């Protein structure tokens, strides 16, 4: 049903393109080829898809964060995160992947006493790849200050969080969910701002360097 709905929306978009009355921008494909630019309409559509993506992540986290204290069935008097140990399949939930596109997704792995959230951050070019890697490494080296942050992400993802029953007992569940969603929303803005700053510094250095040859 979701695929059919998306296909219907795409067909409506082709035959009835959006037109902005303020900037006269049209979302028709052939008009974009003639005059490619981003308008307020396009930004609104992108914001809507991001909001839908974050809402899906929030709903999945709220459903998966039903944790309770559970002792290890292998080692006596031990309480280990079952999602990390993975020794008892009956204690693990089916992993859920919430994907916005091929390069932006969230893996949510639940168990009876722990929850692991792995995030793949959007990286459009090589600069964003470098910035994302440096920023995630900076944060993971200080994982003890974030309480729920893992020092090493799951393979294929950029950063991972581990939430146990001890965290949900000491903190509000809805606040933990809000933190993860807010992190996903802010990290894209942070990387975009860092990219703009790098480009600005590179432009300034190039102008100063090439200006010495002109004189």
């Amino acid at each position: 049903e979701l695929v059919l709905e998306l296909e219907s929306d795409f067909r409506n978009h082709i035959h009835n393109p959006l037109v902005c009355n303020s900037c006269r921008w049209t979302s028709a494909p052939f008009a974009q080829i003639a005059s490619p630019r981003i308008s307020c309409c396009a930004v609104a559509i992108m914001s809507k898809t991001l909001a839908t993506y974050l809402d899906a992540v929030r709903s999945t986290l709220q459903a998966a964060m039903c944790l309770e204290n559970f002792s290890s069935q292998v080692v006596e008097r031990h309480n280990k995160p079952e999602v990390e140990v993975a020794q008892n399949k009956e204690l693990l939930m089916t992993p859920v992947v919430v994907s916005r596109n091929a390069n932006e997704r969230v893996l949510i792995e639940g168990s009876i006493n722990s929850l692991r959230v792995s995030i793949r951050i959007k990286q459009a070019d090589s600069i964003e790849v470098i910035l994302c890697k440096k920023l995630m490494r900076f944060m993971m080296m200080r994982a003890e200050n974030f309480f729920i942050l893992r020092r090493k992400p799951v393979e294929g993802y950029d950063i991972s969080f581990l939430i146990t029953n001890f965290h949900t007992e000491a903190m509000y569940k809805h606040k933990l969910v809000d933190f993860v969603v807010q992190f996903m929303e802010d990290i894209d803005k942070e990387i975009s701002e860092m990219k703009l700053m790098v480009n600005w510094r590179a432009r300034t250095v190039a102008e100063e360097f090439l200006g010495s040859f002109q004189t």
Side-chain angles (χ1 to χ4, degrees), residues 207-215:
E207 289 176 353
E208 291 293 332
F209 179 74
L210 297 176
S212 60
F213 293 96
Q214 294 178 357
T215 58

Side-chain angles (χ1 to χ4, degrees), residues 29-120:
F30 299 105
Q32 283 298 293
I33 295 175
S35 178
R37 63 190 182 93
I38 299 177
S39 75
C40 56
C41 297
V43 173
I45 293 173
M46 294 172 62
S47 300
K48 184 177 180 181
T49 59
L50 177 60
T52 305
Y53 172 61
L54 295 178
D55 288 342
V57 173
R58 183 187 298 274
S59 301
T60 309
L61 285 176
Q62 290 174 346
M65 203 173 293
C66 299
L67 310 178
E68 64 180 43
N69 194 356
F70 190 85
S71 300
S72 175
Q73 295 180 337
V74 180
V75 183
E76 186 178 359
R77 302 184 68 178
H78 275 244
N79 189 327
K80 298 181 179 180
E82 293 295 336
V83 72
E84 296 283 352
V85 179
Q87 293 181 341
N88 303 283
K89 294 184 178 180
E90 67 275 7
L91 303 178
L92 303 177
M93 299 181 185
T94 303
V96 178
V97 177
V98 182
S99 178
R100 186 183 181 189
N101 50 53
N103 300 320
E104 196 171 0
R105 61 185 183 271
V106 177
L107 172 64
I108 301 176
E109 303 169 278
S111 67
I112 190 170
N113 65 350
S114 55
L115 175 68
R116 186 167 59 192
V117 183
S118 304
I119 303 173
R120 174 70 176 177

Side-chain angles (χ1 to χ4, degrees), residues 136-143 149-151 153 158:
M136 295 302 103
R137 183 173 179 271
F138 175 84
M139 294 182 62
M140 286 184 288
M141 289 177 62
R142 296 156 179 81
L149 183 62
R150 288 178 95 239
R151 288 192 176 275
D158 298 307

Side-chain angles (χ1 to χ4, degrees), residues 46 101-104 120-132 158 188 191-192 195:
M46 294 172 62
N101 50 53
N103 300 320
E104 196 171 0
R120 174 70 176 177
I121 302 171
K122 179 183 66 175
Q123 300 165 36
D125 52 27
S126 57
I127 296 179
E128 291 189 1
V129 171
I130 296 174
L131 292 175
C132 180
D158 298 307
D188 289 338
I191 293 177
S192 298
K195 181 180 177 181

